Short mmCIF file of all heavy atoms in Angstrom, two decimals:
data_model
loop_
_atom_site.label_atom_id
_atom_site.label_comp_id
_atom_site.label_asym_id
_atom_site.label_seq_id
_atom_site.Cartn_x
_atom_site.Cartn_y
_atom_site.Cartn_z
N ILE A 1 -22.17 -15.92 2.66
CA ILE A 1 -21.75 -16.67 3.86
C ILE A 1 -21.15 -15.72 4.90
O ILE A 1 -21.31 -15.92 6.10
CB ILE A 1 -20.74 -17.78 3.49
CG1 ILE A 1 -21.36 -18.75 2.47
CG2 ILE A 1 -20.27 -18.53 4.72
CD1 ILE A 1 -22.59 -19.47 2.97
N VAL A 2 -20.45 -14.69 4.43
CA VAL A 2 -20.01 -13.60 5.31
C VAL A 2 -20.46 -12.29 4.68
O VAL A 2 -20.98 -12.28 3.56
CB VAL A 2 -18.48 -13.60 5.53
CG1 VAL A 2 -18.04 -14.81 6.34
CG2 VAL A 2 -17.72 -13.55 4.21
N ALA A 3 -20.22 -11.18 5.38
CA ALA A 3 -20.83 -9.92 4.98
C ALA A 3 -20.18 -9.26 3.77
O ALA A 3 -20.80 -8.41 3.13
CB ALA A 3 -20.81 -8.95 6.16
N SER A 4 -18.94 -9.61 3.43
CA SER A 4 -18.28 -8.93 2.32
C SER A 4 -17.19 -9.81 1.72
O SER A 4 -16.76 -10.80 2.32
CB SER A 4 -17.66 -7.61 2.79
OG SER A 4 -16.55 -7.87 3.64
N ASP A 5 -16.72 -9.42 0.52
CA ASP A 5 -15.63 -10.16 -0.12
C ASP A 5 -14.33 -10.02 0.68
O ASP A 5 -13.52 -10.95 0.74
CB ASP A 5 -15.43 -9.72 -1.57
CG ASP A 5 -15.38 -8.22 -1.73
OD1 ASP A 5 -15.54 -7.50 -0.74
OD2 ASP A 5 -15.19 -7.76 -2.88
N ASP A 6 -14.12 -8.84 1.33
CA ASP A 6 -12.94 -8.69 2.17
C ASP A 6 -12.93 -9.71 3.31
O ASP A 6 -11.87 -10.24 3.67
CB ASP A 6 -12.89 -7.28 2.78
CG ASP A 6 -12.30 -6.25 1.82
OD1 ASP A 6 -11.81 -6.64 0.75
OD2 ASP A 6 -12.35 -5.05 2.14
N LEU A 7 -14.10 -9.98 3.88
CA LEU A 7 -14.16 -10.93 4.99
C LEU A 7 -13.94 -12.37 4.51
O LEU A 7 -13.46 -13.20 5.28
CB LEU A 7 -15.50 -10.80 5.73
CG LEU A 7 -15.66 -9.51 6.54
CD1 LEU A 7 -17.04 -9.44 7.18
CD2 LEU A 7 -14.57 -9.39 7.61
N ILE A 8 -14.29 -12.67 3.26
CA ILE A 8 -13.92 -13.98 2.70
C ILE A 8 -12.41 -14.11 2.66
O ILE A 8 -11.83 -15.11 3.09
CB ILE A 8 -14.53 -14.18 1.30
CG1 ILE A 8 -16.04 -14.43 1.41
CG2 ILE A 8 -13.86 -15.36 0.57
CD1 ILE A 8 -16.74 -14.65 0.10
N ASP A 9 -11.76 -13.07 2.13
CA ASP A 9 -10.29 -13.10 2.05
C ASP A 9 -9.68 -13.22 3.45
O ASP A 9 -8.75 -14.02 3.67
CB ASP A 9 -9.78 -11.84 1.36
CG ASP A 9 -10.01 -11.85 -0.15
OD1 ASP A 9 -10.26 -12.94 -0.70
OD2 ASP A 9 -9.93 -10.78 -0.77
N ALA A 10 -10.21 -12.46 4.41
CA ALA A 10 -9.67 -12.51 5.77
C ALA A 10 -9.84 -13.90 6.37
O ALA A 10 -8.92 -14.46 6.98
CB ALA A 10 -10.38 -11.47 6.65
N GLY A 11 -11.03 -14.50 6.21
CA GLY A 11 -11.29 -15.82 6.77
C GLY A 11 -10.38 -16.88 6.21
O GLY A 11 -9.85 -17.73 6.94
N VAL A 12 -10.16 -16.85 4.89
CA VAL A 12 -9.33 -17.88 4.26
C VAL A 12 -7.85 -17.68 4.60
O VAL A 12 -7.12 -18.66 4.81
CB VAL A 12 -9.56 -17.90 2.73
CG1 VAL A 12 -8.68 -18.94 2.05
CG2 VAL A 12 -11.03 -18.20 2.43
N ILE A 13 -7.40 -16.44 4.70
CA ILE A 13 -6.00 -16.19 5.07
C ILE A 13 -5.74 -16.62 6.51
O ILE A 13 -4.79 -17.37 6.79
CB ILE A 13 -5.64 -14.70 4.89
CG1 ILE A 13 -5.58 -14.34 3.41
CG2 ILE A 13 -4.29 -14.38 5.55
CD1 ILE A 13 -5.52 -12.85 3.14
N PHE A 14 -6.58 -16.18 7.44
CA PHE A 14 -6.32 -16.44 8.85
C PHE A 14 -6.83 -17.80 9.32
O PHE A 14 -6.45 -18.28 10.38
CB PHE A 14 -6.91 -15.32 9.72
CG PHE A 14 -6.24 -13.99 9.49
CD1 PHE A 14 -6.93 -12.94 8.90
CD2 PHE A 14 -4.92 -13.80 9.84
CE1 PHE A 14 -6.31 -11.72 8.67
CE2 PHE A 14 -4.29 -12.59 9.62
CZ PHE A 14 -4.99 -11.54 9.03
N GLY A 15 -7.69 -18.44 8.51
CA GLY A 15 -8.19 -19.76 8.86
C GLY A 15 -7.46 -20.91 8.20
O GLY A 15 -7.49 -22.03 8.70
N THR A 16 -6.79 -20.63 7.07
CA THR A 16 -6.08 -21.71 6.35
C THR A 16 -4.61 -21.39 6.11
O THR A 16 -3.85 -22.28 5.75
CB THR A 16 -6.72 -21.99 4.98
OG1 THR A 16 -6.41 -20.92 4.07
CG2 THR A 16 -8.23 -22.13 5.07
N GLY A 17 -4.22 -20.11 6.27
CA GLY A 17 -2.86 -19.72 5.93
C GLY A 17 -2.70 -19.44 4.46
O GLY A 17 -1.57 -19.35 3.95
N PHE A 18 -3.82 -19.29 3.72
CA PHE A 18 -3.75 -18.98 2.29
C PHE A 18 -2.74 -17.86 2.04
O PHE A 18 -2.81 -16.80 2.66
CB PHE A 18 -5.13 -18.55 1.78
CG PHE A 18 -5.16 -18.18 0.31
CD1 PHE A 18 -5.47 -19.15 -0.64
CD2 PHE A 18 -4.91 -16.89 -0.11
CE1 PHE A 18 -5.51 -18.81 -1.99
CE2 PHE A 18 -4.94 -16.55 -1.45
CZ PHE A 18 -5.25 -17.51 -2.40
N ALA A 19 -1.81 -18.12 1.13
CA ALA A 19 -0.69 -17.22 0.79
C ALA A 19 -0.98 -15.74 1.07
O ALA A 19 -1.61 -15.07 0.24
CB ALA A 19 -0.36 -17.41 -0.69
N PRO A 20 -0.54 -15.20 2.21
CA PRO A 20 -0.87 -13.81 2.55
C PRO A 20 -0.39 -12.80 1.50
O PRO A 20 -1.05 -11.80 1.26
CB PRO A 20 -0.16 -13.58 3.89
CG PRO A 20 -0.02 -14.96 4.47
CD PRO A 20 0.21 -15.86 3.29
N PHE A 21 0.75 -13.11 0.88
CA PHE A 21 1.30 -12.16 -0.09
C PHE A 21 0.45 -12.04 -1.35
O PHE A 21 0.69 -11.18 -2.20
CB PHE A 21 2.74 -12.55 -0.46
CG PHE A 21 2.85 -13.83 -1.24
CD1 PHE A 21 2.86 -13.83 -2.62
CD2 PHE A 21 2.94 -15.04 -0.57
CE1 PHE A 21 2.95 -15.02 -3.33
CE2 PHE A 21 3.04 -16.23 -1.27
CZ PHE A 21 3.04 -16.22 -2.65
N ARG A 22 -0.57 -12.91 -1.48
CA ARG A 22 -1.50 -12.81 -2.62
C ARG A 22 -2.78 -12.06 -2.25
O ARG A 22 -3.62 -11.80 -3.11
CB ARG A 22 -1.85 -14.21 -3.15
CG ARG A 22 -0.61 -14.97 -3.68
CD ARG A 22 -1.01 -16.22 -4.43
NE ARG A 22 0.13 -17.05 -4.78
CZ ARG A 22 0.89 -16.87 -5.86
NH1 ARG A 22 0.63 -15.88 -6.69
NH2 ARG A 22 1.91 -17.68 -6.11
N GLY A 23 -2.96 -11.72 -0.98
CA GLY A 23 -4.05 -10.84 -0.57
C GLY A 23 -5.41 -11.47 -0.39
O GLY A 23 -6.38 -10.77 -0.13
N GLY A 24 -5.51 -12.81 -0.51
CA GLY A 24 -6.79 -13.49 -0.36
C GLY A 24 -7.34 -13.98 -1.69
O GLY A 24 -6.98 -13.45 -2.75
N PRO A 25 -8.19 -15.01 -1.69
CA PRO A 25 -8.64 -15.63 -2.95
C PRO A 25 -9.44 -14.71 -3.86
O PRO A 25 -9.23 -14.70 -5.08
CB PRO A 25 -9.49 -16.83 -2.49
CG PRO A 25 -9.81 -16.56 -1.05
CD PRO A 25 -8.70 -15.72 -0.51
N ILE A 26 -10.38 -13.93 -3.32
CA ILE A 26 -11.18 -13.03 -4.17
C ILE A 26 -10.29 -11.93 -4.75
O ILE A 26 -10.35 -11.61 -5.95
CB ILE A 26 -12.35 -12.43 -3.37
CG1 ILE A 26 -13.26 -13.53 -2.81
CG2 ILE A 26 -13.14 -11.46 -4.26
CD1 ILE A 26 -13.95 -14.38 -3.84
N HIS A 27 -9.43 -11.38 -3.90
CA HIS A 27 -8.48 -10.35 -4.36
C HIS A 27 -7.55 -10.92 -5.44
O HIS A 27 -7.26 -10.25 -6.43
CB HIS A 27 -7.68 -9.85 -3.16
CG HIS A 27 -6.70 -8.77 -3.48
ND1 HIS A 27 -7.08 -7.46 -3.73
CD2 HIS A 27 -5.34 -8.79 -3.61
CE1 HIS A 27 -6.01 -6.73 -3.98
NE2 HIS A 27 -4.95 -7.51 -3.92
N TYR A 28 -7.12 -12.16 -5.25
CA TYR A 28 -6.22 -12.80 -6.21
C TYR A 28 -6.88 -12.96 -7.58
O TYR A 28 -6.26 -12.71 -8.62
CB TYR A 28 -5.78 -14.17 -5.67
CG TYR A 28 -4.93 -14.97 -6.64
CD1 TYR A 28 -3.63 -14.61 -6.90
CD2 TYR A 28 -5.46 -16.08 -7.29
CE1 TYR A 28 -2.85 -15.33 -7.80
CE2 TYR A 28 -4.70 -16.82 -8.17
CZ TYR A 28 -3.39 -16.43 -8.43
OH TYR A 28 -2.63 -17.14 -9.32
N VAL A 29 -8.15 -13.33 -7.59
CA VAL A 29 -8.88 -13.47 -8.86
C VAL A 29 -8.93 -12.13 -9.58
O VAL A 29 -8.67 -12.04 -10.79
CB VAL A 29 -10.30 -14.02 -8.63
CG1 VAL A 29 -11.11 -13.96 -9.93
CG2 VAL A 29 -10.26 -15.45 -8.12
N ARG A 30 -9.25 -11.08 -8.85
CA ARG A 30 -9.35 -9.76 -9.47
C ARG A 30 -8.00 -9.25 -9.97
O ARG A 30 -7.91 -8.66 -11.04
CB ARG A 30 -9.95 -8.78 -8.47
CG ARG A 30 -11.44 -9.03 -8.21
CD ARG A 30 -11.99 -8.11 -7.15
NE ARG A 30 -13.44 -8.29 -7.04
CZ ARG A 30 -14.12 -8.17 -5.91
NH1 ARG A 30 -13.49 -7.88 -4.79
NH2 ARG A 30 -15.43 -8.33 -5.89
N GLU A 31 -6.95 -9.49 -9.17
CA GLU A 31 -5.63 -9.00 -9.55
C GLU A 31 -5.05 -9.78 -10.72
O GLU A 31 -4.41 -9.21 -11.60
CB GLU A 31 -4.69 -9.07 -8.35
CG GLU A 31 -4.98 -8.07 -7.25
CD GLU A 31 -4.69 -6.65 -7.67
OE1 GLU A 31 -3.52 -6.34 -7.98
OE2 GLU A 31 -5.64 -5.84 -7.72
N THR A 32 -5.26 -11.09 -10.72
CA THR A 32 -4.70 -11.93 -11.79
C THR A 32 -5.51 -11.78 -13.07
O THR A 32 -4.96 -11.87 -14.18
CB THR A 32 -4.69 -13.41 -11.34
OG1 THR A 32 -3.99 -13.51 -10.10
CG2 THR A 32 -3.99 -14.29 -12.37
N GLY A 33 -6.80 -11.57 -12.91
CA GLY A 33 -7.69 -11.42 -14.07
C GLY A 33 -8.69 -12.55 -14.13
O GLY A 33 -8.30 -13.71 -14.33
N LYS A 34 -9.98 -12.19 -13.95
CA LYS A 34 -11.00 -13.25 -13.93
C LYS A 34 -11.14 -13.93 -15.29
O LYS A 34 -11.48 -15.11 -15.36
CB LYS A 34 -12.34 -12.68 -13.47
CG LYS A 34 -12.97 -11.66 -14.40
CD LYS A 34 -14.31 -11.18 -13.87
CE LYS A 34 -14.97 -10.20 -14.85
NZ LYS A 34 -16.27 -9.74 -14.35
N GLN A 35 -10.84 -13.19 -16.37
CA GLN A 35 -10.92 -13.80 -17.70
C GLN A 35 -9.86 -14.87 -17.88
O GLN A 35 -10.13 -15.98 -18.33
CB GLN A 35 -10.77 -12.72 -18.77
CG GLN A 35 -11.00 -13.23 -20.20
CD GLN A 35 -12.41 -13.71 -20.43
OE1 GLN A 35 -13.36 -13.01 -20.12
NE2 GLN A 35 -12.56 -14.92 -20.95
N LYS A 36 -8.64 -14.54 -17.49
CA LYS A 36 -7.51 -15.47 -17.62
C LYS A 36 -7.76 -16.73 -16.78
O LYS A 36 -7.60 -17.87 -17.27
CB LYS A 36 -6.23 -14.78 -17.17
CG LYS A 36 -4.99 -15.67 -17.16
CD LYS A 36 -3.78 -14.89 -16.65
CE LYS A 36 -2.57 -15.80 -16.52
NZ LYS A 36 -1.39 -15.05 -15.97
N LEU A 37 -8.15 -16.54 -15.52
CA LEU A 37 -8.38 -17.68 -14.64
C LEU A 37 -9.64 -18.44 -15.06
O LEU A 37 -9.69 -19.68 -14.97
CB LEU A 37 -8.51 -17.22 -13.19
CG LEU A 37 -7.23 -16.65 -12.55
CD1 LEU A 37 -7.51 -16.07 -11.18
CD2 LEU A 37 -6.14 -17.72 -12.46
N GLY A 38 -10.65 -17.72 -15.53
CA GLY A 38 -11.88 -18.37 -16.00
C GLY A 38 -11.62 -19.27 -17.20
O GLY A 38 -12.19 -20.36 -17.30
#
């Protein structure tokens, strides 16, 4: 839908106010652990 995973994070942070201190949804999945969240 956009050119990169960084741009997904940017769009959701600046378009919805998604918790900036978590770095964006894709970044949050990677940092928290995709296995744990999965």
Side-chain angles (χ1 to χ4, degrees):
I1 301 299
V2 292
S4 70
D5 48 358
D6 278 353
L7 290 177
I8 287 181
D9 285 343
V12 178
I13 290 168
F14 294 113
T16 73
F18 179 92
F21 67 92
R22 298 191 188 276
I26 302 296
H27 182 75
Y28 175 72
V29 172
R30 288 176 174 147
E31 289 292 298
T32 306
K34 66 179 183 180
Q35 186 64 50
K36 176 182 175 182
L37 293 173

